């Protein structure tokens, strides 16, 4: 039983942030490696410059854009190049970004509760 199922099974019905609330708060998500980020930055300053970095290719970023326009980032770094998997890196980076959204939404809910709005 995951945490959400346990909360529901225990009948805990006070205002709270659910996984569905959190997912609904994400309006877009973007992924890139550090290597792609550097290449993009170089392309803006000097399109003739090229750069490849196997080390930077192992660092994956996820940027989540929330409903209010705020952005949250997550990252995933692979120590062994042989273990690098782009899909897995994106999943880990997204999970790390999502973990940063929980406290933001919790703070927002608590603020509303303190004002009697929720």
């Amino acid at each position: 039983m995951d945490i959400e199922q346990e909360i529901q099974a225990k009948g805990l019905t006070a205002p709270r942030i659910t996984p569905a609330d959190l997912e609904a708060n994400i309006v877009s998500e973007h992924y890139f490696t550090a290597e792609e980020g550097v290449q993009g930055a170089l392309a803006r300053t000097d399109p003739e410059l090229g750069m490849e970095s196997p080390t930077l290719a192992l660092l994956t970023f996820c940027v989540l854009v929330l409903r209010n326009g705020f952005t949250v980032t997550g990252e995933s770094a692979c120590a062994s190049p042989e273990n690098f998997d782009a899909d897995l890196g994106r999943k880990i980076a997204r999970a790390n970004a999502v973990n940063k959204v929980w406290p933001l939404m919790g703070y927002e809910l608590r603020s509303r509760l303190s004002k009697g709005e929720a």
Side-chain angles (χ1 to χ4, degrees):
M1 178 181 300
D2 73 1
I3 292 173
E4 180 61 23
Q5 290 172 328
E6 187 174 350
I7 289 169
Q8 290 177 13
K10 291 183 176 190
L12 303 174
T13 59
R16 64 188 180 86
I17 304 301
T18 67
D21 294 332
L22 187 140
E23 289 298 329
N25 199 27
I26 299 170
V27 295
S28 66
E29 51 192 74
H30 309 274
Y31 301 92
F32 57 94
T33 65
E35 180 182 51
E36 292 165 338
V38 169
Q39 289 170 344
L42 288 174
R44 286 182 157 192
T45 58
D46 189 348
E48 299 301 314
L49 285 176
M51 193 215 84
E52 289 186 22
S53 173
T55 301
L56 292 180
L58 302 177
L59 175 59
T60 303
F61 292 97
C62 172
V63 179
L64 300 179
V65 180
L66 306 181
R67 266 186 297 181
N68 66 2
F70 194 73
T71 56
V72 179
T73 62
E75 52 284 323
S76 170
C78 182
S80 298
E82 301 81 16
N83 289 336
F84 180 76
D85 179 278
D87 289 333
L88 186 56
R90 285 190 286 273
K91 286 179 188 175
I92 294 168
R94 187 183 195 282
N96 288 334
V98 164
N99 284 335
K100 294 177 182 178
V101 177
W102 285 108
L104 297 172
M105 291 184 68
Y107 178 85
E108 180 182 40
L109 174 59
R110 184 65 188 137
S111 293
R112 286 184 301 174
L113 289 170
S114 72
K115 294 176 185 174
E117 296 175 4

